[in-house]
Amino acid sequence: MLRRVLSAFAISVFLIIYYIAVGSSAVYFQTIFGFSQSKANALGNWMWGFDAGALLLSRVSLGKLRVRNPS
């Protein structure tokens, strides 16, 4: 029971941090680095794409190593 609650809490905290980072990245790139709005949004899209690719790559590699699939 405690493992399920802690797991749900951990993913909730991760998602809050992720959503804040994605939501504020365009403003951050505009104010700090002086990018235009379209370039800041394009950079955010690239960040999202690489994040999705890294997620898929890590899932496939962990599946091959049988980290989450005990025999």
Side-chain angles (χ1 to χ4, degrees):
M1 170 77 177
L2 183 62
R3 291 180 70 185
R4 290 183 188 165
V5 171
L6 289 177
S7 175
F9 178 75
I11 193 64
S12 298
V13 170
F14 171 76
L15 286 174
I16 287 171
I17 293 170
Y18 175 73
Y19 290 145
I20 289 171
V22 168
S24 63
S25 65
V27 175
Y28 178 77
F29 289 130
Q30 287 176 0
T31 57
I32 301 298
F33 298 112
F35 290 166
S36 66
Q37 184 177 4
S38 62
K39 286 186 179 182
N41 284 332
L43 187 57
N45 289 338
W46 279 101
M47 286 173 38
W48 179 87
F50 279 113
D51 189 32
L55 177 67
L56 293 173
L57 183 65
S58 65
R59 177 59 185 124
V60 168
S61 63
L62 290 175
K64 297 261 186 216
L65 293 173
R66 301 181 63 87
V67 172
R68 293 191 47 106
N69 301 329
S71 54

